[in-house]
Amino acid sequence: MRKTEHTTLERIHEVAREEFLQHGFIQASLRRIVRNAGVTTGAFYGYYNSKEALFEALVGEHYQYFMDCFRKAQEDFARLPRERQPEELGSISGACMTEMLRYAYRHLDAFKLLLVCSEGTRFSGMVDEMVEIETKSTHDYQEVLNGLGRPSPRIDPRLEHILITGMFNAFFELIIHEMPLCRAEQYLAKMRMFYTAGWMKIMGQ
């Protein structure tokens, strides 16, 4: 890529980031982005074919890393011998959540876009996706407990959904409010203790 092209694309991204952060995806104006970036509409379409594609360019890589990290933690836990899973409950997911938090802080604008500005895009359902993955993992773990002779009572699906959604919303509040990372990590550790103890109680462990 020639230097002029690189500079133009960087300027489009910078202006678009500000526009999306200020107005959200739905209310953001592609015409305003083009004007403030100092490029023609034709020049813009040489890079992206839509506002959606531009938003994707700003957040897609970070969204994918975040979700891959989360899925891997669930898979790594599920691969543990079932006898080890109760004693390792929370350790793998805890390390993953800490890494996800640190990654989000390294790319704070992208995650502000994902968490508060993405309505109208495929990214707006990120919390719901994580809830779905966590719910399945919870059910799988209950089966492990049953197989170990430590039966776990059925959890009301509505309560389960509320609790898991609340857990992720609490996690994302750390990012949205941009508290110092060291404080956010302290809060995350306490939140993990709180939710792990709560789930163990609900599961009769």
Side-chain angles (χ1 to χ4, degrees):
M1 182 178 290
R2 297 194 303 272
K3 183 174 178 58
T4 54
E5 291 178 339
H6 183 65
T7 302
T8 299
L9 186 57
E10 284 186 333
R11 188 161 64 247
I12 291 172
H13 284 180
E14 181 180 353
V15 170
R17 190 176 296 111
E18 294 174 359
E19 176 74 12
F20 289 133
L21 285 170
Q22 182 175 353
H23 300 285
F25 174 80
I26 292 177
Q27 297 300 322
S29 166
L30 187 55
R31 180 177 299 177
R32 193 159 49 225
I33 291 171
V34 169
R35 183 182 69 241
N36 291 343
V39 300
T40 65
T41 302
F44 171 83
Y45 283 115
Y47 294 105
Y48 302 110
N49 60 14
S50 65
K51 186 171 70 169
E52 290 86 348
L54 175 57
F55 193 88
E56 172 99 26
L58 296 177
V59 304
E61 175 186 352
H62 306 300
Y63 163 84
Q64 195 62 53
Y65 179 91
F66 204 78
M67 296 302 295
D68 286 347
C69 180
F70 181 64
R71 289 190 181 95
K72 183 178 184 300
Q74 307 296 326
E75 293 165 359
D76 287 348
F77 179 77
R79 280 195 291 266
L80 289 173
R82 65 179 190 172
E83 294 80 8
R84 286 186 54 199
Q85 290 190 23
E87 64 188 61
E88 296 289 342
L89 182 64
S91 60
I92 293 177
S93 63
C96 169
M97 295 296 277
T98 299
E99 168 56 26
M100 290 162 68
L101 180 70
R102 291 172 179 170
Y103 183 85
Y105 266 69
R106 292 196 298 270
H107 307 280
L108 200 53
D109 280 349
F111 280 89
K112 293 291 287 290
L113 290 173
L114 282 168
L115 296 173
V116 299
C117 304
S118 63
E119 183 180 356
T121 75
R122 73 180 183 90
F123 304 104
S124 63
M126 184 169 73
V127 172
D128 291 334
E129 289 182 64
M130 296 179 74
V131 169
E132 183 177 348
I133 294 168
E134 182 72 20
T135 299
K136 182 183 183 305
S137 295
T138 300
H139 295 170
D140 291 344
Y141 180 61
Q142 286 182 294
E143 289 300 315
V144 168
L145 291 175
N146 292 338
L148 292 172
R150 300 168 56 175
S152 173
R154 178 181 179 273
I155 305 173
D156 183 286
R158 289 169 296 183
L159 175 61
E160 184 178 49
H161 180 82
I162 290 168
L163 291 174
I164 294 176
T165 302
M167 179 177 68
F168 287 122
N169 283 335
F171 171 72
F172 286 129
E173 283 291 301
L174 301 174
I175 300 167
I176 291 170
H177 290 297
E178 299 183 40
M179 64 181 63
L181 178 58
C182 60
R183 180 66 59 84
E185 289 181 344
Q186 293 171 4
Y187 284 4
L188 176 59
K190 292 179 179 179
M191 286 163 51
R192 283 177 46 217
M193 292 171 57
F194 175 83
Y195 280 107
T196 299
W199 279 112
M200 289 178 67
K201 184 71 174 179
I202 289 174
M203 290 180 176
Q205 302 302 303

